[in-house]
Amino acid sequence: MRLVLIIAAILSAAPVHVFAQTAKVKNTVVFQEPERFAGWPANNGIWSWGDEIVVGFTLGYYKKNPTGGHDIDRDQPSVPRQARSMDGGETWVVERPSYIDKNGNQNKLQKLDKPIDFSNPDLAVRFTKSQFHYSLDRCLTWNGPYELPVYGRPNLLCRTDYIVEGKNRLTAFIAAAKETGGEGQPLCIRTLDGGMTWNLVGWIGNQPPAAYGYAIMPATVRIGKTGYLSMIRRGGIFDGKKRWWIEPFVSPDDGKSWYLLKEPQIENSGNPATLTRLKNGKLAMTYGWRRAPYGIRGRISDDDGQTWSREFILRDDASSWDIGYPRSIQRADGKMVTIYYYHNDEQPQRFIGCTIWDPAQFER
């Protein structure tokens, strides 16, 4: 009954237009190196154990793009990297993940020969493209990659978004290519046998148009005993003009069916959100803001997403739209740690940044 009321409340909610000014935050640098391009934490994943945090990112080479796109040199290799903090995001050490060798070559595809124990307290699972890896030692060593079924689509477009729901049960929220190829439509998948098999639970929303339009990069939390709330990154054409935004979907039945909600519809010009369930039960949402003033923003909900706080600014000093893709966790003292890629006048090349902030500043 509660979930029904949540759906009704969100469907009738009024838009939130006013945002708070920047509050007191602390910014640190996860990785920065001259002539390098570091980006896209949301394409990789974040995992935490108290004040120990690991975040993945992509490392390439910097090259100014004359057309205004990403300033990365596509003629040079890009490789996965992960950064580890042992002090809640204050300092970081960059590591080469064990699933690639020193030349940047990924391990060969493997076959899972026994169930994964998802109840292991040191577990981390990473989803990428049409594969997944797992670690049982806090990302020090990774097993995999293992192949996922593509559910009748050309391929999958996975990023890491999952919820552990038992020793053998894990539910993941990913995206698949459209039937005609290209990005993309989100879906909910689940394993009940420790990753040996994966079943389609339900598609999230309608398949976007073949010509242009995408729905990708879910960010999901559990709502009650049988519900999920997921923020989806969207793109489409309206009246001949391209538009990019974030929108929420809710499932009342463990991921089988999904319903689009009216709020919050976030017009941020194309950047994924991240949702975090706080220790006090509230929800924190952060996302990149690819409209001037460029930066990182967020909102808080104290009622499972029925309503949200005013939009707040974590930072707004970026030099262009080529930023964001955040992932956030809550550390042991209750403060949030938000990781993203960024650049500004002081640091013009793309670096991985970190903002440490107190969600209590933004509670209503």
Side-chain angles (χ1 to χ4, degrees):
M1 182 64 180
R2 174 172 169 75
L3 190 59
V4 174
L5 293 175
I6 290 174
I7 295 173
I10 300 177
L11 285 171
S12 61
V16 178
H17 296 296
V18 180
F19 58 82
Q21 295 300 312
T22 305
K24 184 177 181 180
V25 302
K26 181 176 183 179
N27 295 323
T28 65
V29 173
V30 177
F31 173 88
Q32 181 187 7
E33 189 174 307
E35 305 306 319
R36 301 306 295 266
F37 181 108
W40 307 303
N43 285 356
N44 293 271
I46 192 168
W47 308 268
S48 67
W49 303 267
D51 282 341
E52 182 176 0
I53 307 165
V54 177
V55 64
F57 63 96
T58 301
L59 179 60
Y61 289 86
Y62 175 83
K63 182 180 180 181
K64 183 65 178 177
N65 189 327
T67 65
H70 300 300
D71 289 338
I72 187 170
D73 190 345
R74 300 293 186 183
D75 295 324
Q76 297 200 62
S78 295
V79 294
R81 287 291 184 265
Q82 62 186 36
R84 187 182 306 268
S85 176
M86 303 299 292
D87 54 12
E90 303 287 344
T91 61
W92 296 85
V93 175
V94 175
E95 304 167 344
R96 173 172 57 84
S98 69
Y99 54 79
I100 59 170
D101 64 23
K102 62 181 180 180
N103 297 316
N105 299 312
Q106 181 170 271
N107 294 343
K108 294 182 179 180
L109 196 65
Q110 303 173 29
K111 183 174 177 61
L112 190 64
D113 57 5
K114 63 179 180 179
I116 305 165
D117 181 1
F118 296 130
S119 66
N120 188 306
D122 297 326
L123 173 77
V125 185
R126 177 181 183 268
F127 292 86
T128 179
K129 298 182 180 178
S130 299
Q131 303 171 349
F132 73 98
H133 299 80
Y134 77 93
S135 170
L136 299 178
D137 58 8
R138 303 188 178 189
C139 307
L140 293 174
T141 59
W142 290 91
N143 302 285
Y146 306 101
E147 193 169 21
L148 292 165
V150 296
Y151 307 104
R153 296 298 175 86
N155 57 281
L156 299 183
L157 309 166
C158 293
R159 274 86 161 187
T160 300
D161 181 34
Y162 66 89
I163 300 174
V164 173
E165 298 173 329
K167 181 178 180 179
N168 299 118
R169 172 170 162 151
L170 183 146
T171 301
F173 308 87
I174 61 174
K178 293 179 284 191
E179 292 175 346
T180 55
E183 297 181 315
Q185 182 182 10
L187 64 155
C188 172
I189 64 173
R190 180 176 295 133
T191 178
L192 300 175
D193 54 12
M196 302 295 290
T197 61
W198 294 84
N199 300 310
L200 171 64
V201 181
W203 292 96
I204 304 175
N206 297 323
Q207 185 173 188
Y212 181 81
Y214 59 77
I216 56 174
M217 304 187 73
T220 314
V221 293
R222 170 68 81 176
I223 300 293
K225 292 183 178 180
T226 63
Y228 299 112
L229 174 67
S230 189
M231 299 300 299
I232 307 295
R233 182 186 176 193
R234 294 298 317 273
I237 297 178
F238 299 86
D239 298 325
K241 294 182 179 180
K242 290 184 178 180
R243 173 184 161 220
W244 304 276
W245 72 102
I246 311 168
E247 65 186 14
F249 279 81
V250 67
S251 171
D253 54 8
D254 245 6
K256 296 176 184 177
S257 60
W258 293 82
Y259 303 92
L260 174 63
L261 307 177
K262 287 185 177 180
E263 293 295 332
Q265 295 274 337
I266 301 172
E267 302 284 346
N268 68 341
S269 292
N271 218 259
T274 177
L275 282 177
T276 308
R277 174 71 70 180
L278 304 181
K279 296 174 183 178
N280 62 9
K282 299 181 181 183
L283 298 179
M285 174 169 54
T286 51
Y287 42 91
W289 191 259
R290 285 182 164 175
R291 302 167 66 181
Y294 310 107
I296 309 296
R297 301 189 180 192
R299 295 182 184 181
I300 301 288
S301 174
D302 58 11
D303 53 13
D304 277 349
Q306 295 183 68
T307 58
W308 292 86
S309 70
R310 292 183 300 169
E311 184 175 70
F312 53 83
I313 299 172
L314 292 176
R315 63 187 304 178
D316 60 357
D317 61 336
S319 298
S320 80
W321 61 267
D322 190 15
I323 57 166
Y325 278 59
R327 282 295 176 261
S328 296
I329 58 93
Q330 188 175 29
R331 67 185 194 182
D333 65 359
K335 289 186 178 180
M336 295 294 293
V337 179
T338 297
I339 315 293
Y340 44 84
Y341 83 108
Y342 213 72
H343 73 127
N344 53 25
D345 292 342
E346 295 180 0
Q347 299 163 317
Q349 297 177 8
R350 305 306 181 275
F351 65 93
I352 304 300
C354 169
T355 297
I356 301 169
W357 53 284
D358 185 354
Q361 294 180 95
F362 308 107
E363 295 176 359
R364 291 167 294 196

